[in-house]
Amino acid sequence: MKSDINLRHLTQLPELPKNWAHSSVDELCIIEPVGNKKLAQKQYVQKGKYPVIDQGIDFIGGYTDKNELVIEVPEDGAFIIFGDHSRAFKLVDFNFVPGADGVKVLRPVCVLPKWAYYFFKAIYLPNKGYARHFQYLKEAYLPLPPLSTQKLIVDKIEELFSHIDAGVEGLKQAKAKLQQYRQSVLKDAVTGKLTESWREQNADKLEPANELLERILEERRANWEAEQLKAFEEKGKVPKDDKWKDKYKAPLPPETEDVPDIPIEWGYLRLEAISNIQGGITVDAKRKPDETTLLPYLRVANVQRGYLDLSKMRDIRVPNDKVDSLLLQDGDILFNEGGDRDKLGRGWVWRNEIDKCIYQNHVFRARLYSNELVPEFVSIFGNIIGKEYFIKQGKQTTNLASINKTKLSAFPVPFCSLNEMTKIIEFVTDKVGKTDRTIIEVDKKILHASQLKSSILAKAFSGELIENIETDETAEQLLEKIQTEKQLLEEKAKLAKKKPNTRAKKMDKQPIIDVLKKAKKALSVDELFEQAGFQNDVSPEGIEAFYQELKVVTENANVTVTPVMLKEKKQGDKFEYKEVKENEAG
């Protein structure tokens, strides 16, 4: 079922069990936008009587108490919601309000909604762009079993899925506990609890925090002075005296109101006190090849929380005079500048995974001044403790959150002796490494469960999941019934959208049979609806009354019903009154 399911691309229809039939989604479902009117996003609320359906998480964008836009689901059925952005489906058996981000609703006709839903879960819709997903879905191939077989298939799918889901739930709970333990270890690591016993055993070997602080600040100043002398040299200047050194700005003390307590042997410093912080390059397609160098670069998607995802890298043209300043060096700490609010400050350490790599402007690089600090320690603290800091300090726009260099520079970071930092990373590597390997194994089992579900669905829609049974109604007969009912529903929907014209408003309602008797030609459903005066009442009750009367009229021996065909497909019917003579009737 995961192969090409587009009817136009099928060179040969697959063999099906006896009594099944070949069909398509368009034949079995009415597909249309959800509602003519939509609820504006600003009117969504967190709690309400009706869920608002849009392309949000699980297709529920929010809630509302407004009942004038409610779409009622039939008591004996359900809708299937399709999001052309996500190419996902949801079975909806409750009343809802259509949201601002439009989705489409698939109304299965004379087939079990759950059976249709599982079929949609089984197929793969390739990414063809938002506008083409809908058309591709309509043309999707769909093997149709009889209605009684659909029920047996659904029952079997749900029986098997329930066992799989129970196992997956247990795996997810185990994974959640492992992740909780992992977070606990990392938090204890950067707040001193993990090495508490080690510190007691090595108390005589640990230097006071103020001595380490003094050396870090000395190295910071020395780094600044080296940069200033390099700038003088590039300009061809030689400083006359040391007055230029007075321009050095010492870092401000860190704000430690919202940070955790740390051991007395440790201290806090602002990130700018321990590292040189620099933003990356902006993307500009206008840069000329002869003035630039093509290099791989890190994007926000590459810089994850606690690791780098280098599976999908991109290249960018970098001005030749900027290459050296943008090249990443071993030990550089990366922090994300923009994205979703909970991703601000997310990052990890660069360890020369790729030769000559740079980073874009939505990523900050922090390069430590001192070799007595361990980059992984700083990054772990940023990911675990700093997450709340970055969420709090970040700036939110309509679709994007960001943290600026000033706020990042002020981020308070703990420091301790190099011996203890090294020991902390050893402990973390051991404990977290074991946990991560276990999480990977759990993820593999969850993935296997998902693949098992796909296998079950593939068997279900090829007729292999249950034994084929004899049925009173074949799929071919069901298809005919579906086509008739679908046509009726589409006609009703079309009539419901009609607005009375001036002529129609003046017409009195009259029996349909009388309209046919007066007519000089065969009339379509639309023409009958208007000329019989029903157009003044396009309520569901009024339309239903029209069709009930039309059904009675067609049973009249004098009324002829002629199907209207287009490309071998029935488009509707035309009705004509021809009085049958008694000998012809006999």
Side-chain angles (χ1 to χ4, degrees):
M1 289 303 300
K2 292 290 182 181
S3 60
D4 197 338
I5 46 78
N6 189 287
L7 277 176
R8 291 186 301 176
H9 298 161
L10 284 175
T11 56
Q12 184 177 355
L13 292 172
E15 187 176 344
L16 294 175
K18 184 180 178 182
N19 290 335
W20 286 42
H22 300 292
S23 185
S24 69
V25 173
D26 192 34
E27 281 187 292
L28 305 188
C29 297
I30 295 176
I31 311 175
E32 59 188 18
V34 178
N36 296 321
K37 295 183 179 180
K38 303 170 185 176
L39 186 70
Q41 197 168 33
K42 63 183 180 181
Q43 294 181 304
Y44 295 10
V45 294
Q46 290 186 346
K47 292 182 179 180
K49 186 176 179 181
Y50 305 105
V52 180
I53 296 291
D54 68 8
Q55 307 213 42
I57 297 174
D58 198 30
F59 287 103
I60 296 180
Y63 294 85
T64 182
D65 289 323
K66 297 179 179 292
N67 57 14
E68 59 268 23
L69 298 179
V70 170
I71 292 181
E72 295 186 354
V73 175
E75 292 182 5
D76 58 345
F79 294 156
I80 299 168
I81 299 298
F82 170 62
D84 50 11
H85 290 198
S86 60
R87 289 170 287 148
F89 302 89
K90 179 180 178 65
L91 187 70
V92 174
D93 56 3
F94 49 81
N95 297 342
F96 62 90
V97 169
D101 192 359
V103 295
K104 291 183 174 63
V105 63
L106 293 85
R107 305 170 186 252
V109 179
C110 297
V111 297
L112 295 181
K114 274 193 176 181
W115 174 84
Y117 170 70
Y118 282 125
F119 170 78
F120 292 129
K121 295 283 284 184
I123 66 174
Y124 169 71
L125 283 176
N127 192 348
K128 298 287 185 179
Y130 299 157
R132 297 182 64 190
H133 292 157
F134 170 51
Q135 185 61 33
Y136 202 90
L137 175 64
K138 288 176 68 176
E139 295 172 353
Y141 169 74
L142 201 164
L144 178 70
L147 204 57
S148 56
T149 305
Q150 292 176 30
K151 176 69 167 61
L152 293 174
I153 289 174
V154 168
D155 289 346
K156 190 63 178 179
I157 288 173
E158 295 190 334
E159 176 192 343
L160 296 173
F161 275 20
S162 65
H163 296 309
I164 295 173
D165 290 341
V168 168
E169 183 59 32
L171 290 169
K172 287 181 177 179
Q173 289 178 6
K175 181 179 177 180
K177 289 179 180 178
L178 288 166
Q179 290 174 326
Q180 188 177 13
Y181 169 75
R182 186 183 191 278
Q183 291 293 99
S184 177
V185 169
L186 293 174
K187 182 178 180 181
D188 288 350
V190 292
T191 56
K193 293 181 181 179
L194 194 61
T195 46
E196 191 171 13
S197 298
W198 181 89
R199 258 193 324 277
E200 292 176 359
Q201 296 168 7
N202 296 272
D204 56 331
K205 302 175 185 177
L206 299 177
E207 67 175 338
N210 61 331
E211 292 181 14
L212 177 58
L213 171 62
E214 188 176 337
R215 283 202 307 280
I216 291 172
L217 295 180
E218 285 177 358
E219 290 188 56
R220 182 182 190 273
R221 174 151 194 154
N223 184 279
W224 178 85
E225 291 180 359
E227 287 184 350
Q228 297 305 304
L229 290 172
K230 183 179 179 181
F232 280 129
E233 184 180 348
E234 289 174 350
K235 294 178 182 178
K237 296 181 179 180
V238 178
K240 298 178 181 179
D241 50 41
D242 289 342
K243 287 184 178 180
W244 59 274
K245 294 182 180 180
D246 294 338
K247 295 181 180 180
Y248 173 75
K249 293 183 180 180
L252 296 170
E255 295 182 6
T256 56
E257 293 179 0
D258 297 326
V259 294
D261 293 334
I262 53 176
I264 193 171
E265 297 88 353
W266 293 24
Y268 272 109
L269 278 172
R270 289 161 64 104
L271 184 62
E272 66 172 353
I274 64 173
S275 66
N276 176 279
I277 302 168
Q278 179 178 301
I281 188 172
T282 56
V283 177
D284 186 355
K286 297 180 181 179
R287 295 190 180 107
K288 298 178 181 179
D290 56 346
E291 299 173 357
T292 60
T293 301
L294 189 65
L295 292 172
Y297 73 105
L298 296 181
R299 299 166 291 122
V300 169
N302 301 122
V303 183
Q304 297 294 318
R305 194 174 299 281
Y307 68 97
L308 300 178
D309 181 1
L310 307 179
S311 59
K312 295 181 181 179
M313 294 294 295
R314 295 180 184 174
D315 294 335
I316 190 172
R317 293 208 165 273
V318 186
N320 293 330
D321 59 346
K322 299 287 186 182
V323 171
D324 289 342
S325 64
L326 289 167
L327 282 175
L328 290 167
Q329 295 181 13
D330 186 56
D332 282 349
I333 308 168
L334 302 164
F335 295 88
N336 277 339
E337 173 267 347
D340 295 334
R341 200 172 187 87
D342 64 339
K343 295 180 177 63
L344 296 181
R346 181 184 73 184
W348 191 234
V349 179
W350 179 255
R351 287 300 183 185
N352 286 341
E353 288 86 350
I354 297 174
D355 184 43
K356 291 186 178 180
C357 184
I358 65 165
Y359 55 104
Q360 74 166 140
N361 60 316
H362 294 306
V363 177
F364 284 114
R365 176 223 72 195
R367 184 169 293 163
L368 296 174
Y369 294 125
S370 175
N371 291 329
E372 294 187 75
L373 298 173
V374 179
E376 284 78 7
F377 176 87
V378 177
S379 189
I380 291 171
F381 186 84
N383 285 324
I384 303 301
I385 306 300
K387 187 174 180 180
E388 292 301 318
Y389 172 87
F390 293 121
I391 289 175
K392 184 178 179 181
Q393 299 295 333
K395 183 180 179 181
Q396 182 75 49
T397 59
T398 304
N399 298 314
L400 189 70
S402 62
I403 185 88
N404 60 35
K405 184 177 178 181
T406 300
K407 297 296 184 182
L408 180 61
S409 298
F411 176 49
V413 179
F415 65 92
C416 59
S417 69
L418 177 59
N419 286 342
E420 186 168 0
M421 277 195 181
T422 304
K423 184 58 64 175
I424 286 170
I425 298 304
E426 286 180 13
F427 286 164
V428 166
T429 302
D430 178 49
K431 292 178 179 292
V432 172
K434 291 177 181 176
T435 305
D436 284 345
R437 287 191 290 275
T438 306
I439 290 174
I440 289 171
E441 289 303 312
V442 171
D443 283 338
K444 286 181 180 178
K445 292 179 180 178
I446 293 174
L447 177 61
H448 176 69
S450 176
Q451 293 170 339
L452 189 57
K453 280 189 170 184
S454 296
S455 176
I456 289 170
L457 291 175
K459 288 182 178 180
F461 294 99
S462 61
E464 299 174 26
L465 189 63
I466 63 169
E467 290 185 13
N468 194 36
I469 58 172
E470 292 292 332
T471 59
D472 294 333
E473 181 185 52
T474 67
E476 290 291 351
Q477 292 170 327
L478 177 59
L479 262 180
E480 292 179 11
K481 181 179 176 182
I482 290 169
Q483 289 168 359
T484 301
E485 183 65 21
K486 188 168 179 279
Q487 179 191 330
L488 179 62
L489 291 172
E490 288 172 343
E491 286 175 351
K492 286 182 177 180
K494 185 179 177 182
L495 292 176
K497 294 177 183 179
K498 292 178 75 69
K499 294 182 179 179
N501 54 36
T502 305
R503 179 187 170 197
K505 288 179 181 177
K506 294 178 180 178
M507 286 184 176
D508 293 327
K509 190 176 268 191
Q510 56 181 313
I512 295 174
I513 191 69
D514 291 348
V515 173
L516 288 173
K517 288 178 179 179
K518 296 175 186 176
K520 297 180 180 180
K521 63 173 184 175
L523 300 177
S524 66
V525 169
D526 280 1
E527 291 168 327
L528 275 176
F529 188 77
E530 180 180 327
Q531 293 181 31
F534 281 87
Q535 196 170 355
N536 296 316
D537 180 11
V538 291
S539 66
E541 294 78 12
I543 294 171
E544 190 60 37
F546 167 76
Y547 274 100
Q548 289 294 333
E549 185 177 342
L550 184 62
K551 182 180 179 182
V552 174
V553 167
T554 57
E555 294 171 357
N556 189 310
N558 296 308
V559 175
T560 303
V561 182
T562 306
V564 179
M565 306 298 290
L566 179 64
K567 294 181 180 180
E568 299 182 356
K569 188 174 181 181
K570 185 178 176 182
Q571 301 297 307
D573 293 305
K574 286 212 169 186
F575 304 82
E576 188 173 13
Y577 184 88
K578 291 182 178 179
E579 193 163 338
V580 181
K581 297 178 181 179
E582 289 187 12
N583 58 345
E584 292 177 347

